[in-house]
């Protein structure tokens, strides 16, 4: 079991990284080797078939571990905290993340990221994906909900988000 620390939405409480429990939460140990001090963790996702692979959207970037949290590598940075991260349903080699007015996509399980600018700027955004329609990704911001087609074969396909869906 993993827990990320810090206030993701208010950004008024610095985090102390990531903690891991191997006994159902009775005890916790730091699992933040390689993560900057005072890092707020917005969201973590675990690979559906390899629990050693975890991606973390944080205030200092996107981190990836391949050994269950023993060591983390920073794979993407941004001056605005990352708030959300999701795997594409049915294909965990594809991941999505948001930070401010930017949408990011990885096609190699978070090793590297392509940046796509959304139509509007903002600091809060969340991602929606569905197993029923895995080729679409939704990004909800204050200004509306945006929809894009997601295709592993054509990275450009996520570069054009629709006008807001109200």
């Amino acid at each position: 079991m993993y827990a990320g620390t810090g206030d993701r939405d208010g950004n008024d409480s610095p985090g102390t990284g990531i903690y891991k429990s191997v006994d159902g939460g009775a005890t916790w140990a730091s699992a933040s080797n390689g993560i900057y001090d005072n890092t707020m963790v917005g969201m973590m996702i675990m690979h559906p078939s390899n629990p050693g692979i975890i991606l973390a959207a944080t205030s200092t970037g996107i981190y990836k571990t391949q050994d269950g949290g023993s060591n983390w590598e920073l794979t993407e940075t941004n001056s605005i905290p990352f708030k959300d991260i999701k795997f594409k349903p049915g294909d965990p080699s594809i991941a999505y993340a948001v930070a401010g007015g930017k949408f990011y996509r990885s096609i190699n399980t978070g090793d590297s990221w392509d940046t796509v600018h959304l139509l509007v700027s903002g600091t809060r955004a969340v991602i929606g994906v569905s197993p029923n329609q895995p080729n679409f990704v939704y990004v909800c911001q204050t200004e509306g909900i945006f929809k894009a087609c997601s295709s592993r074969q054509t990275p450009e396909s996520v570069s054009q988000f629709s006008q807001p869906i109200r």
Side-chain angles (χ1 to χ4, degrees), residues 58-80:
T58 77
S59 58
T60 55
I62 299 173
Y63 289 88
K64 179 179 181 176
T65 181
Q66 298 184 72
D67 57 13
S70 295
N71 298 287
W72 294 86
E73 177 185 355
L74 182 63
T75 62
E76 184 65 41
T77 61
N78 189 9
S79 60
I80 297 174

Side-chain angles (χ1 to χ4, degrees), residues 18-60:
I18 296 171
Y19 290 83
K20 179 179 180 178
S21 175
V22 295
D23 57 10
T27 61
W28 293 88
S30 177
S32 298
N33 186 33
I35 296 178
Y36 296 126
D37 290 339
N38 297 323
T39 295
M40 174 275 308
V41 180
M43 180 69 66
M44 291 183 289
I45 55 173
M46 182 181 289
H47 192 283
S49 61
N50 183 346
I53 297 175
I54 302 167
L55 301 178
T58 77
S59 58
T60 55

Side-chain angles (χ1 to χ4, degrees), residues 15-153:
T16 57
I18 296 171
Y19 290 83
K20 179 179 180 178
S21 175
V22 295
D23 57 10
T27 61
W28 293 88
S30 177
S32 298
N33 186 33
I35 296 178
Y36 296 126
D37 290 339
N38 297 323
T39 295
M40 174 275 308
V41 180
M43 180 69 66
M44 291 183 289
I45 55 173
M46 182 181 289
H47 192 283
S49 61
N50 183 346
I53 297 175
I54 302 167
L55 301 178
T58 77
S59 58
T60 55
I62 299 173
Y63 289 88
K64 179 179 181 176
T65 181
Q66 298 184 72
D67 57 13
S70 295
N71 298 287
W72 294 86
E73 177 185 355
L74 182 63
T75 62
E76 184 65 41
T77 61
N78 189 9
S79 60
I80 297 174
F82 283 87
K83 303 279 185 162
D84 199 5
I85 190 165
K86 299 278 191 289
F87 283 122
K88 177 181 178 181
D91 186 355
S93 68
I94 297 177
Y96 310 109
V98 287
K102 295 181 182 176
F103 172 80
Y104 295 79
R105 186 184 71 164
S106 173
I107 60 170
N108 53 18
T109 317
D111 289 336
S112 63
W113 297 84
D114 295 319
T115 305
V116 176
H117 292 274
L118 296 179
L119 296 172
V120 294
S121 64
T123 58
R124 294 185 183 198
V126 292
I127 301 166
V129 294
S130 170
N132 292 334
Q133 292 188 333
N135 290 324
F136 291 98
V137 59
Y138 296 84
V139 176
C140 180
Q141 288 187 292
T142 306
E143 295 81 1
I145 300 172
F146 299 87
K147 175 182 175 183
C149 181
S150 161
S151 172
R152 184 182 178 96
Q153 291 76 27

